[in-house]
Amino acid sequence: MRLPPLAERPGDIPHLVDYFRRIICHQYAVTVEIETDAMKALSQHDWKLNNVRELRNALVSLVASCVDTHHATVTEKAVQEHFSATQAPPTSTQVPENGGPEILPARKDLT
C-alpha cells in the first residue's frame, strides 16, 4: 500500500493538524487554538521534502513556543517564524578564502 506524500494531499493537512492538536492538548495538558491564517500557512507550506511526522513535530514546536499558562494560540506569524528558523542555513559555518574547512584555534581554558 502506497501512501502519497503530504505534498500530494494538501486537503489532509487541516484534518491532520486538528488530530495532532487534540493529541498535543491531551499529552501536555494545554488548550491549543490554531488561527485560521495559521492553518492557511500550514496548508500552503512546501511539504515536498516533509512528511506527516514532520507536520506533527512542527505543531509540537509551535505549541511549545506559543504556550502561555496552559493555553496556546498558534498564529500565522508563529508558523512563518518556525519555518524560516528551521529552514535557515546554519550561520556558524565559515568558509575561508581557500575554500577548505576552517580550523579554529583551541580554547586555552580547555587545554
Side-chain angles (χ1 to χ4, degrees), residues 64-93:
S65 68
C66 297
V67 74
D68 179 24
T69 62
H70 301 293
H71 181 82
T73 301
V74 177
T75 64
E76 178 185 23
K77 180 180 178 185
V79 172
Q80 292 170 344
E81 288 175 355
H82 171 78
F83 288 126
S84 66
T86 59
Q87 294 177 353
T91 56
S92 62
T93 304

Side-chain angles (χ1 to χ4, degrees), residues 2-13 16 43 45-52:
R2 179 187 176 275
L3 183 62
L6 201 50
E8 293 178 19
R9 45 195 180 103
D12 288 355
I13 292 172
L16 290 166
S43 296
H45 178 68
D46 182 11
W47 294 102
K48 289 180 184 171
L49 301 176
N50 300 315
N51 59 33
V52 174

